[in-house]
Amino acid sequence: MRVLVGVKRVIDYAVRVRVAGDKSGVELANVKMSMNPFCEIACEEAIQLKEKKVASEVVAVSIGPKQAQETLRSALAMGCDRAIHVATDLRLDQELNPLAVARLLAKVVADEQPDLVIVGKQSIDGDNGTTGPMLAELLGWSQATFAAKFDVAGDGATAEVERETDTGTEVVKVKLPTVLTADLRLNTPRYPKLPNIMKAKKKPLESKDAADYGVDLAPSIVVEAVASPEARAAGITVDSVDTLVDKLKNEAAVI
Amino acid sequence: MHPLVRDLYKKLLTVGRDYPAGLDHVRDRAKREIFGRRDIEGEVDIKKAVRYGRYMLREMMGVIQLKKYRTLKARYAPSDDDEPPPPPPPASERR
């Protein structure tokens, strides 16, 4: 079974994002970038499948600028076998819409013929969370979103997935091939070992231009402006109970 | 420097890049701990010290993974007993 994993290069989760001066988006210059944490979980799941001998090959794919290759290298360091880079200069967090990503991934799936596609449930920059479902729809495959547990049946034709929903855990059975989107508690991503980071530099990485896939990449949603949330005003200390009661009555109007 | 120690130091710096306290903190601590053991002689004792260093390395990886999990849980799957995410910085700190 071949597994395709979609990874995205985003601003590191620990970085405090800043809005650019002209409000066109968040500042990307001189900001630490890394692999989207949910994509790391997706990667780990694919690699665990390979270690359980369920999967034979794990292919990582990333869409983005030239630097997305670094993200692919870290996926390779985790244990993926090879990588495909689809080059585009569009901004990943607002110009390249999930639909365009899903269309590109559908083309990659047509080339690679995987039996399973694993992506993160959402990226931490755009927070759309729609690429996985859209891809499943375009391919006509089954989909298992927000997966917290994934087991392929012995015959390799179906899989059992536990999904986390607001009301509890839902267990669904899906036919393979399927699109799986990874939730936070699917697994704990491993930390790449230093020798594996070195070995990853020699693993095959294929780079293709997004324009060659003949897909409409024009954004259907245009970001007009981005602003940071309003700062909360500082509170005050009242000196007596009477002032407190007075303020609650007259200013807050709650009693 | 013993090759095992050099290897350990390189590993510490690689992992230190993602450590919540920052690379500078990790580099300072690693240097202090390694140079503090400069008197250790004999292959067996050096290997023992390196084993301790590798244990610390695994602990650091654990801290990084836990921090990542907790941050994402607070952001995307909060439950009632989670601490709320930190408030945005005051306007004076923003650009």
Side-chain angles (χ1 to χ4, degrees):
Chain A
M1 187 161 93
R2 185 180 278 176
V3 182
L4 188 77
V5 187
V7 295
K8 185 174 184 182
R9 178 175 178 266
V10 297
I11 296 180
D12 192 79
Y13 81 99
V15 171
R16 180 167 276 174
V17 288
R18 290 177 186 280
V19 175
D22 57 354
K23 294 199 169 182
S24 59
V26 295
E27 193 78 67
L28 290 181
N30 299 324
V31 171
K32 187 183 174 198
M33 307 288 272
S34 59
M35 198 201 295
N36 179 28
F38 291 109
C39 297
E40 275 179 1
I41 297 173
C43 244
E44 174 67 32
E45 188 62 22
I47 294 157
Q48 282 184 12
L49 285 176
K50 198 186 158 203
E51 284 166 355
K52 280 189 261 177
K53 310 273 182 208
V54 177
S56 54
E57 190 185 28
V58 180
V59 186
V61 55
S62 186
I63 302 166
K66 204 164 182 296
Q67 295 92 320
Q69 292 188 1
E70 294 162 19
T71 312
L72 284 171
R73 290 285 175 208
S74 51
L76 292 173
M78 282 175 81
C80 297
D81 296 302
R82 59 192 177 87
I84 300 164
H85 171 225
V86 180
T88 171
D89 284 331
L90 294 170
R91 255 185 90 128
L92 294 182
D93 56 343
Q94 37 184 259
E95 283 173 358
L96 191 70
N97 285 164
L99 183 57
V101 175
R103 281 176 180 152
L104 281 173
L105 286 180
K107 293 277 182 191
V108 175
V109 167
D111 288 349
E112 295 292 328
Q113 297 292 332
D115 305 285
L116 175 67
V117 177
I118 311 182
V119 290
K121 70 163 180 170
Q122 60 182 212
S123 63
I124 61 168
D125 56 356
D127 282 324
N128 293 299
T130 46
T131 305
M134 279 179 181
L135 176 63
E137 182 60 36
L138 288 175
L139 294 169
W141 289 10
S142 60
Q143 56 176 300
T145 50
F146 309 120
K149 197 160 176 271
F150 180 72
D151 284 313
V152 178
D155 56 355
T158 57
E160 205 173 79
V161 183
E162 280 185 16
R163 311 177 57 225
E164 285 190 1
T165 64
D166 287 343
T167 47
T169 307
E170 190 179 57
V171 183
V172 290
K173 210 174 199 180
V174 289
K175 268 190 205 146
L176 294 177
T178 187
V179 177
L180 185 76
T181 73
D183 205 343
L184 188 57
R185 276 174 283 277
L186 186 60
N187 55 44
T188 315
R190 71 191 61 192
Y191 211 90
K193 294 200 174 84
L194 196 56
N196 291 353
I197 295 176
M198 306 310 278
K199 271 181 217 156
K201 291 180 183 165
K202 290 189 185 121
K203 285 187 180 175
L205 193 153
E206 198 183 343
S207 191
K208 288 176 183 170
D209 198 26
D212 296 345
Y213 284 99
V215 167
D216 178 21
L217 296 178
S220 47
I221 302 166
V222 177
V223 176
E224 294 272 322
V226 175
S228 42
E230 281 293 314
R232 194 169 150 262
I236 51 160
T237 320
V238 289
D239 46 10
S240 72
V241 176
D242 290 339
T243 348
L244 174 68
V245 172
D246 177 61
K247 282 196 182 293
L248 284 177
K249 260 189 187 152
N250 300 324
E251 280 184 33
V254 288
I255 51 172
Chain B
M1 199 189 255
H2 195 283
L4 283 178
V5 180
R6 186 191 303 267
D7 180 56
L8 175 71
Y9 183 62
K10 276 191 182 175
K11 279 179 185 166
L12 282 168
L13 290 192
T14 317
V15 174
R17 261 173 217 136
D18 295 328
Y19 194 69
L23 180 59
D24 292 337
H25 170 87
V26 173
R27 193 190 289 117
D28 288 352
R29 271 307 292 271
K31 275 192 180 169
R32 196 159 13 118
E33 296 286 336
I34 290 173
F35 284 112
R37 287 169 173 76
R38 59 170 53 166
D39 300 334
I40 295 180
E41 279 183 23
E43 198 72 5
V44 178
D45 287 346
I46 290 178
K47 276 188 181 161
K48 246 182 211 168
V50 168
R51 198 191 300 156
Y52 171 71
R54 288 187 183 158
Y55 162 73
M56 289 312 289
L57 193 69
R58 284 197 297 278
E59 291 291 300
M60 278 168 64
M61 290 176 185
V63 167
I64 294 168
Q65 284 170 337
L66 187 67
K67 163 104 192 294
K68 192 178 268 185
Y69 173 78
R70 285 198 172 153
T71 315
L72 288 170
K73 184 166 176 275
R75 268 187 218 164
Y76 292 109
S79 66
D80 292 340
D81 36 273
D82 278 338
E83 275 182 48
S92 55
E93 278 181 30
R94 287 193 214 149
R95 265 188 284 174

